[in-house]
Amino acid sequence: MINTTFRDEWFPNLQKNVLAGLTTSFALVPECIAFALVAQLNPLMGLYGAFIICALTAIFGGRPGMISGAAGSMAVVIVALVAQHGVQYLLATVVLSGILMALFGILRLGKLIRMVPYPVMLGFVNGLAIVIAMAQLEHFRQATPHGETWLQGTPLYVMGALVAMTMAIVYVLPRITKAVPPALVAILGVGVLSHFLHLPTRTLGDLAHIAGGLPALHWPSVPLDMATLHIIFPYAALMAMVGLLETLLTFNLTDEMTETRGQPNRECIALGASNVVSGLFGGMGGCAMIGQTMINLSSGGRSRLSGVTAGVMILLFILFLSPLIERIPLAALVGVMFVVAQQTFAWGSLRVLGKVPLQDALVIVAVTVITVFTDLATAVLCGIVIAALNFAWQHARDMRADIDDSSPGMRVYLPHGTLFFASATHFQELFQLASDPARVILDCRHLHMADHSAIAAIESLYERYDKAGKHLQVTQLSARNEALLQRAGVDVSVA
């Protein structure tokens, strides 16, 4: 955070931040395991990546309270790489993507997130909320000799009852006490109940065994040549783009929720460095995770300590606590994530769809749908393109001109608006060349020239009047407009 002390960043409300980190760690484990399995990797690679990235970004990042880990959006990117070239090429890709992320922050490009319009932010939040909820449905399926099928009978009823109980605890407990995070009470409470009643329900251990040792430093076993770079660079660039997008959008959301300001460039550098370390220690790549960030924030996690606690707890789960953690019912974690999805979704955006301009409503819906059916990077880029095209169209329509014929033998055009690629044609149509007198004044005091299309439009106007045997004089140019034309070699000094 900006202008905060070490104590402010680390030690406000110590107990609440430690408990928030513990709660978040429970939610990180199944997500990271699932994402590792999606990428066809050993689940420990997901857990190692979560520990390293979560802890390092919490310590060195620019946004206390935000949780990063082995994210699903990045796991999807690397499936083809792992299948075709193997794990070692993946680790090299993670290292390279981390370098690219760090360079993004070093070059101070984090401020580019300001270019993302608010409707795109709403679509991003809504899309990820739906993705989080849909991902939990996989836990209602089971493997059979005939393939995966939906749970039926007693297992389904038990699963549904435990999910409902978990959600009820999370919703009701804050009305009774706020001394402990409700998600933590729900997970532990449902876990104890399931254990002592011997309920027939799947546990975290059914998803994967998480016992392991300390991650070891190991340089990826790939040839250091151009052939390797040719293979891994496209994946690394895509991973970096997806990771930075999700991180910076979650960063903005966290700023808004906590009513504080973080340092986006510092977060990008820390994220990049943590991915480099993760790749060197055999972990997956990662970025900010909106679901786990929401759990941390709603549990009271605001300091760096909450993120460090979450990361360190994952390592402790791997080293010492796996027998206990593997007994946690998946239903408890599913219930918590359903609540997270419900709380993440911007329900207010549904009420404003009919009140905001149609193009903004279209952006919200488009980004939401594209996020669900493709990926975050595609959705955000599509949203920005739609918003940019709409902005250009609206500004192009605002181009107009006042005409002054008060002086004999002379006509003055006084255009208003921005002259750029979208408005250049309309700008040309404002001039009545056939009926204009021999002398025409173009008064540019209210005209802003934005790009090369503006220069080309002025040059074209000169040529049209010159061919018609009439004289065009440009006056009242701002210093910026005059410099723009002179740099392009357009002579505007003729009286």
Side-chain angles (χ1 to χ4, degrees), residues 184-226:
L184 179 61
V185 174
I187 293 170
L188 296 180
V190 171
V192 170
L193 178 68
S194 174
H195 175 70
F196 283 106
L197 294 182
H198 303 289
L199 297 178
T201 187
R202 297 175 68 207
T203 64
L204 188 56
D206 295 323
L207 191 62
H209 295 295
I210 65 174
L214 286 170
L217 178 62
H218 170 69
W219 184 261
S221 300
V222 297
L224 298 180
D225 53 25
M226 292 304 296

Side-chain angles (χ1 to χ4, degrees), residues 18-26 169-170 173 180-191 295 299 336:
V18 170
L19 290 176
L22 177 60
T23 308
T24 305
S25 66
F26 286 130
I169 294 173
V170 175
L173 187 62
V180 290
L184 179 61
V185 174
I187 293 170
L188 296 180
V190 171
I295 290 175
S299 300
V336 169

Side-chain angles (χ1 to χ4, degrees), residues 178-335:
K178 295 184 178 180
V180 290
L184 179 61
V185 174
I187 293 170
L188 296 180
V190 171
V192 170
L193 178 68
S194 174
H195 175 70
F196 283 106
L197 294 182
H198 303 289
L199 297 178
T201 187
R202 297 175 68 207
T203 64
L204 188 56
D206 295 323
L207 191 62
H209 295 295
I210 65 174
L214 286 170
L217 178 62
H218 170 69
W219 184 261
S221 300
V222 297
L224 298 180
D225 53 25
M226 292 304 296
T228 298
L229 184 63
H230 180 73
I231 292 171
I232 69 174
F233 184 80
Y235 290 100
L238 186 56
M239 284 181 68
M241 181 174 68
V242 171
L244 288 168
L245 270 175
E246 187 161 357
T247 295
L248 290 173
L249 290 172
T250 305
F251 184 100
N252 273 5
L253 182 65
T254 307
D255 274 3
E256 185 177 321
M257 291 183 62
T258 60
E259 297 182 347
T260 58
R261 288 182 59 208
Q263 301 175 38
N265 293 314
R266 178 176 172 179
E267 185 66 32
C268 293
I269 296 171
L271 179 65
S274 65
N275 271 273
V276 171
V277 175
S278 180
L280 294 177
F281 279 87
M284 284 177 58
C287 62
M289 302 177 72
I290 188 171
Q292 283 65 27
T293 297
M294 290 292 294
I295 290 175
N296 187 51
L297 295 177
S298 62
S299 300
R302 293 292 188 275
S303 75
R304 297 186 184 277
L305 187 61
S306 62
V308 173
T309 301
V312 171
M313 285 306 302
I314 291 175
L315 182 61
L316 294 179
F317 294 161
I318 297 171
L319 298 178
F320 309 113
L321 303 176
S322 59
L324 295 176
I325 299 304
E326 289 177 3
R327 296 179 185 177
I328 295 177
L330 285 175
L333 301 171
V334 169

Side-chain angles (χ1 to χ4, degrees), residues 45-56:
M45 291 187 66
L47 295 174
Y48 287 147
F51 153 61
I52 293 169
I53 294 171
C54 184
L56 290 184

Side-chain angles (χ1 to χ4, degrees), residues 128-138 337-338 341-342:
L128 283 190
I130 295 172
V131 169
I132 290 171
M134 290 175 61
Q136 308 314 308
L137 298 181
E138 288 299 316
M337 295 310 293
F338 273 144
Q342 180 270 319

